[in-house]
């Protein structure tokens, strides 16, 4: 199967931590090899670190910030983004 788009909705949520690490690594390899756009819903920043290029953070159903995980960490737009991304502090402007 050669999908034009891959949609992953919490693909690792039901796995124990040990299995999750292995499947996360295999999934990252597959996504990179597939080369198709991938949309992944997750609440685990480790999934984002392993799989994401561009991150779109939703807060209360609204897109509040987009960018690389490093960019979100460097300048989170809200406490929610800072907590999720594990950033260095929010800059109020």
């Amino acid at each position: 199967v050669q999908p034009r788009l891959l949609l992953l909705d919490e693909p690792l949520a039901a796995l124990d931590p040990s299995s999750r690490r292995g499947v996360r690594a295999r999934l990252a390899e597959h996504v990179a090899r597939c080369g198709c756009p991938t949309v992944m819903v997750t609440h685990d920043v480790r999934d984002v670190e392993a799989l994401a290029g561009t991150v779109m953070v939703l807060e209360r159903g609204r897109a509040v910030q987009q960018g690389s995980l490093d960019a979100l960490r460097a300048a989170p737009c809200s406490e929610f983004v800072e907590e999720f991304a594990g950033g260095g502090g929010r800059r109020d402007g």
Side-chain angles (χ1 to χ4, degrees), residues 40-58:
M40 181 176 64
V41 176
T42 186
H43 293 89
D44 191 330
V45 73
R46 292 167 295 193
D47 295 342
V48 175
E49 289 172 329
L51 297 161
T54 300
V55 181
M56 173 76 66
V57 180
L58 302 178

Side-chain angles (χ1 to χ4, degrees), residues 1-85:
V1 175
Q2 296 293 325
R4 292 186 293 184
L5 174 72
L6 188 58
L7 176 59
L8 306 170
D9 187 2
E10 295 280 356
L12 307 174
L15 300 176
D16 64 86
S18 178
S19 297
R20 185 180 278 209
R21 283 188 298 273
V23 173
R24 185 183 290 126
R26 291 190 68 196
L27 185 56
E29 290 172 9
H30 177 75
V31 167
R33 192 173 49 249
C34 170
C36 68
T38 302
V39 176
M40 181 176 64
V41 176
T42 186
H43 293 89
D44 191 330
V45 73
R46 292 167 295 193
D47 295 342
V48 175
E49 289 172 329
L51 297 161
T54 300
V55 181
M56 173 76 66
V57 180
L58 302 178
E59 185 176 356
R60 294 186 208 130
R62 295 184 155 209
V64 295
Q65 192 166 358
Q66 177 180 334
S68 69
L69 188 56
D70 288 341
L72 271 58
R73 286 176 170 159
C77 71
S78 68
E79 289 180 22
F80 178 82
V81 175
E82 181 178 10
E83 184 178 323
F84 175 75

